[in-house]
């Protein structure tokens, strides 16, 4: 699932902004492991699990969900898990070039998503879909984008509102008057 905020709600997740500065193929396992050396710019989640990340491990083969990252070219937003003191990531984790994130996503990471820590994002894969408690936001990107980040995950954050209810919020940009409210989550 490619919603940054959804991933941020998971307990065992590391989330960092980093630039890849090197890579090395290591023979761990039958197909090998790629170890990327990174320069960590910022950690958004996972301080207690690993306060500083210097290396990221992934399968060497893309067919085994290994990532191919470019060295000395881009900054990335990377998510992954800690196992035996090492950060592991792959194709099933959220990985995106920093310059490809929307302004709403970047601002959300820095200012907004932490406000939704008590909210849960409920995925909707097919209709009908309903929230079952006041701390849920219904994520509908899966209906029309087949798992790829859609308008909702690129421009909204699930935030606890007055009265204790969670709902989608797009507080950093004026509403687009050319779009009917029916398209808003």
């Amino acid at each position: 699932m490619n919603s940054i905020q959804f991933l941020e709600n998971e307990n065992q997740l590391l989330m960092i902004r980093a630039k890849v500065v090197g890579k090395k193929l290591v023979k761990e396992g039958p197909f090998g492991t790629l170890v990327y050396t990174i320069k960590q710019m910022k950690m958004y989640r996972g301080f207690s699990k690993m306060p500083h990340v210097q290396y990221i491990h992934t399968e060497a083969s893309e067919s085994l969900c290994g990532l191919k990252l470019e060295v000395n070219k881009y900054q990335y937003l990377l998510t992954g898990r800690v196992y035996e003191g090492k950060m592991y990531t792959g194709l099933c984790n959220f990985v995106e070039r920093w310059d490809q994130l929307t302004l709403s996503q970047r601002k959300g990471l820095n200012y907004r998503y932490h406000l939704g820590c008590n909210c849960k994002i409920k995925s909707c894969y097919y209709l009908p879909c309903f929230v079952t408690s006041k701390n849920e936001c219904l994520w509908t990107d899966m209906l029309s984008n087949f798992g790829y980040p859609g308008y909702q995950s690129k421009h909204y954050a699930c935030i606890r509102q007055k009265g204790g209810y969670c709902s989608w919020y797009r507080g950093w940009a004026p509403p687009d008057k050319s779009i009917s409210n029916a398209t808003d989550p």
Side-chain angles (χ1 to χ4, degrees):
M1 189 171 298
N2 287 329
S3 173
I4 297 171
Q5 189 181 13
F6 179 83
L7 290 169
E8 189 173 86
N9 287 333
E10 294 184 9
N11 292 331
Q12 301 300 317
L13 184 71
L14 285 177
M15 183 180 292
I16 61 171
R17 178 179 174 186
K19 184 171 185 175
V20 176
V21 295
K23 77 176 178 180
K24 180 179 178 183
L25 179 63
V26 178
K27 273 294 189 190
E28 293 177 4
F31 300 102
T33 300
L34 271 178
V35 179
Y36 289 102
T37 305
I38 62 158
K39 179 181 179 189
Q40 180 179 309
M41 309 305 218
K42 185 167 185 175
M43 179 171 282
Y44 296 99
R45 186 172 179 93
F47 302 102
S48 62
K49 293 162 199 62
M50 185 177 242
H52 183 75
V53 179
Q54 187 176 356
Y55 303 102
I56 295 178
H57 298 76
T58 190
E59 294 291 335
S61 171
E62 287 180 89
S63 65
L64 296 173
C65 296
L67 287 178
K68 300 294 184 208
L69 303 173
E70 297 195 47
V71 178
N72 290 319
K73 197 163 185 183
Y74 303 109
Q75 289 184 24
Y76 294 92
L77 178 66
L78 300 158
T79 65
R81 304 227 179 260
V82 176
Y83 179 72
E84 295 182 353
K86 298 175 184 176
M87 180 177 174
Y88 288 87
T89 191
L91 292 176
C92 291
N93 293 96
F94 187 88
V95 175
E96 186 68 69
R97 282 183 18 200
W98 185 257
D99 64 340
Q100 296 296 311
L101 296 174
T102 65
L103 179 61
S104 293
Q105 288 173 317
R106 291 190 306 262
K107 283 188 174 185
L109 283 164
N110 289 314
Y111 309 111
R112 185 71 58 199
Y113 292 157
H114 71 279
L115 298 174
C117 287
N118 293 322
C119 297
K120 293 185 184 257
I121 297 173
K122 184 175 181 179
S123 299
C124 177
Y125 298 101
Y126 49 87
L127 295 174
C129 302
F130 304 99
V131 293
T132 54
S133 71
K134 69 180 191 175
N135 72 331
E136 291 180 341
C137 291
L138 194 59
W139 186 39
T140 57
D141 278 354
M142 300 295 282
L143 290 173
S144 59
N145 294 295
F146 307 105
Y148 295 103
Y151 191 81
Q152 194 175 19
S153 64
K154 288 182 177 181
H155 301 286
Y156 288 83
C158 178
I159 303 295
R160 184 172 300 281
Q161 306 291 339
K162 292 178 184 174
Y165 286 87
C166 295
S167 65
W168 293 105
Y169 179 73
R170 183 183 179 179
W172 39 77
D176 185 346
K177 300 291 185 198
S178 67
I179 299 175
S180 167
N181 285 343
T183 64
D184 285 348

